[in-house]
């Protein structure tokens, strides 16, 4: 992105993964085509959806197979995250709040300010009582009480800032064992408002006390999301934006795979195979697959990635994944927020076909972020 404001918006809403692969840009495997049916005994979670028109925001949920008629008012730039058996709303750029959503009563339980310009990026549970919240707009990660939202500890991340930057631009968090993982974009805007992206950085902290353990240089620029799947660590990236504010299908972006023991990271699935850089991202841990939105020039198809082979398959009927991806791992169902002009809405994908979920209200805003509550 060439504009600082647009960069801030883009940096606050991406996520994904990658280690060396071939140059085939449209490969797929039989394994990807053999969909396993969900277990009949599995209980589906409840989907919650942030809708946004970039001026106002709302949270709705699925009731009787439709998106609810009732809604909760929320900031227009909000990311939903289910962590520690709680649903949190990260009210981002321009609001800088954290809210706990009561999923039974369908109301905001509490809402707290994280400080001017904080722009919260992600949240992970420490235990049943506390969470870590990572900031994109300020150089810190804070430990917050689930009871009332009060900050009980702060980790400063200013050591990872690029010269003249205001923040190291934390993009995403995850946990492996007793270690907190955080990825940083570390971009800076020059005197002409052009955004300069160095390679991303992965930092590891003690999950309980936040002590810095180590750092690893990432292979690509502009990382968006991190995920731990079957003991493996994947980081997705967008790379630099092109003149159309999209991303190219090349080896400068994609999904990299991190070796924590060796402190190395290598490209696993290239943007050439995916079709562009990775925007939205979701993981099905049981199936060892990932879903990604390829952020091209005006096109945002959803692809399925086999995390063992690295094979990629474009999913028919899911042509726009800008508004969020999430997997209900109890059933294996993928939900996609489609913000396309012609037919926006939330779509479900059961491994065989995509279906549009009906709205109960004609005033429902286009999907912006999704979360499944178990």
């Amino acid at each position: 992105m060439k504009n600082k404001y647009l960069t801030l918006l883009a940096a606050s809403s991406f996520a994904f993964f990658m280690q060396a692969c071939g140059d085939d840009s449209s490969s797929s495997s039989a394994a990807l085509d053999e969909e396993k049916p969900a277990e009949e005994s599995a209980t589906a979670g409840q989907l919650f959806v942030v809708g946004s028109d970039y001026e106002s925001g709302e949270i709705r949920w699925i009731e009787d197979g439709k998106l609810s008629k009732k809604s909760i008012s929320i900031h227009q730039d909000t990311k939903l995250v289910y962590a520690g058996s709680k649903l949190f709303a990260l009210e981002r750029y321009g609001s800088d709040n954290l809210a706990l959503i009561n999923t039974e009563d369908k109301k905001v339980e509490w809402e707290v300010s994280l400080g001017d310009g904080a722009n919260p990026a992600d949240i992970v549970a420490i235990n049943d009582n506390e969470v870590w919240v990572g900031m994109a707009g300020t150089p810190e990660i804070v430990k917050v009480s689930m009871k009332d939202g009060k900050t009980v500890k702060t980790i400063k991340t200013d050591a990872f800032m690029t010269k003249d930057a205001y923040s190291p631009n934390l993009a995403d968090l995850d946990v492996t064992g007793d270690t907190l993982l955080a990825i940083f974009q570390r971009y800076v805007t020059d005197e002409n408002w052009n955004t300069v992206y160095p390679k991303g950085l992965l930092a590891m902290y003690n999950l309980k006390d936040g002590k810095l353990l180590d750092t690893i240089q990432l292979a690509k620029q502009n990382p968006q999301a991190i995920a731990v799947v079957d003991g493996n660590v994947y980081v997705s990236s967008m790379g630099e934006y092109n003149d159309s504010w999209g991303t190219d299908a090349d080896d400068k972006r994609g999904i990299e795979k991190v070796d924590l023991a060796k402190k190395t990271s290598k490209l696993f699935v290239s943007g050439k195979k995916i079709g562009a850089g990775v925007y939205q991202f979701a993981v099905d841990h049981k199936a060892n697959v990932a879903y990604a939105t390829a952020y091209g020039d005006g096109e945002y198809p959803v692809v399925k990635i086999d995390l063992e082979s690295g094979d990629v398959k474009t999913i028919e009927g899911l042509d726009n994944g800008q508004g969020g991806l999430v997997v209900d791992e109890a059933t294996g169902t993928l939900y996609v927020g489609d913000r396309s002009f012609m037919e926006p809405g939330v779509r479900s994908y059961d491994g065989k076909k995509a279906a549009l979920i009906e709205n109960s209200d004609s005033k429902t805003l286009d999907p912006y972020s999704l979360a499944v509550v178990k």
Side-chain angles (χ1 to χ4, degrees):
M1 293 234 177
K2 311 298 184 192
N3 178 282
K4 182 177 181 181
Y5 175 73
L6 291 171
T7 298
L8 286 168
L9 290 179
S12 68
S13 58
F14 300 160
F16 287 67
F17 329 171
M18 314 191 232
Q19 177 191 70
C21 63
D23 293 331
D24 184 4
S25 62
S26 59
S27 69
S28 62
S29 71
L32 286 173
D33 294 321
E34 295 173 1
E35 307 292 348
K36 295 181 180 179
E39 297 179 11
E40 293 183 4
S41 60
T43 302
Q46 186 173 30
L47 179 69
F48 283 75
V49 181
V50 170
S52 174
D53 60 6
Y54 301 114
E55 292 183 354
S56 59
E58 63 182 17
I59 299 175
R60 296 182 190 255
W61 48 91
I62 289 185
E63 280 184 341
D64 300 323
K66 301 178 181 180
L67 278 182
S68 62
K69 189 169 185 178
K70 294 182 178 180
S71 64
I72 303 169
S73 180
I74 204 75
H75 180 59
Q76 60 88 12
D77 181 12
T78 292
K79 175 182 177 180
L80 288 181
V81 180
Y82 182 68
S85 301
K86 303 288 185 181
L87 181 63
F88 295 92
L90 302 173
E91 298 179 278
R92 298 186 293 188
Y93 189 74
S95 179
D96 309 307
N97 292 333
L98 174 67
L100 176 66
I101 307 301
N102 185 318
T103 57
E104 293 186 2
D105 297 337
K106 307 299 191 293
K107 66 179 184 179
V108 176
E109 192 74 24
W110 51 252
E111 183 181 52
V112 296
S113 173
L114 296 169
D116 291 346
N119 195 9
D122 200 19
I123 184 169
V124 295
I126 303 169
N127 48 46
D128 292 337
N129 303 307
E130 298 172 318
V131 292
W132 286 113
V133 185
M135 312 303 172
T138 53
E140 57 190 15
I141 303 171
V142 298
K143 181 187 286 189
V144 172
S145 167
M146 290 189 194
K147 180 180 178 180
D148 52 18
K150 291 183 178 179
T151 296
V152 296
K153 183 166 187 169
T154 299
I155 300 172
K156 298 301 292 183
T157 60
D158 52 318
F160 305 139
M161 290 167 52
T162 303
K163 184 180 178 181
D164 297 328
Y166 59 91
S167 163
N169 323 113
L170 185 146
D172 204 27
L173 300 171
D174 207 345
V175 174
T176 178
D178 59 359
T179 302
L180 171 68
L181 306 175
I183 56 171
F184 298 91
Q185 296 168 339
R186 305 185 67 240
Y187 63 80
V188 65
T189 305
D190 66 19
E191 65 276 7
N192 297 316
W193 296 102
N194 294 317
T195 304
V196 180
Y197 291 93
K199 290 182 178 179
L201 184 74
L202 167 62
M204 295 169 283
Y205 300 88
N206 180 283
L207 179 62
K208 184 177 180 180
D209 63 19
K211 179 181 179 182
L212 180 63
L213 304 174
D214 214 336
T215 61
I216 298 174
Q217 178 73 67
L218 295 175
K220 301 300 174 181
Q221 301 163 290
N222 199 8
Q224 299 298 327
I226 183 168
V228 180
V229 186
D230 195 25
N232 295 309
V233 178
Y234 301 90
V235 175
S236 71
S237 64
M238 289 279 278
E240 292 186 332
Y241 298 92
N242 57 33
D243 291 339
S244 300
W245 292 352
T247 60
D248 299 324
D250 58 26
D251 295 334
K252 296 181 179 180
R253 65 207 84 235
I255 297 170
E256 52 192 281
K257 194 172 184 179
V258 182
D259 188 322
L260 297 181
K262 294 181 179 179
K263 297 201 298 183
T264 59
S265 189
K266 295 181 180 179
L267 191 63
F268 175 53
V269 182
S270 74
K272 193 169 187 178
K273 292 181 72 173
I274 294 169
V278 176
Y279 182 47
Q280 301 286 356
F281 176 85
V283 171
D284 186 336
H285 291 81
K286 292 181 180 179
N288 201 23
V289 299
Y291 297 95
T293 300
Y295 197 80
D297 294 339
E299 297 183 348
Y300 316 101
V302 178
V303 302
K304 183 176 182 180
I305 302 163
D306 187 311
L307 292 177
E308 290 188 12
S309 66
D311 290 325
V312 178
K313 173 187 174 183
T314 300
I315 302 175
E316 184 177 353
L318 299 179
D319 301 323
N320 187 307
Q322 291 185 84
L325 303 178
V326 68
V327 176
D328 182 347
E329 297 202 50
T331 63
T333 302
L334 171 70
Y335 293 102
V336 178
D338 186 333
R339 292 186 65 87
S340 59
F341 178 75
M342 295 299 295
E343 195 176 21
V346 178
R347 285 175 163 74
S348 64
Y349 175 70
D350 63 2
K352 296 180 181 179
K353 63 180 180 178
L356 182 65
I357 296 174
E358 185 178 346
N359 292 330
S360 296
D361 189 337
S362 61
K363 296 180 181 180
T364 299
L365 299 178
D366 292 351
Y368 188 79
S369 177
L370 312 176
V372 170
V373 172
K374 301 164 188 170

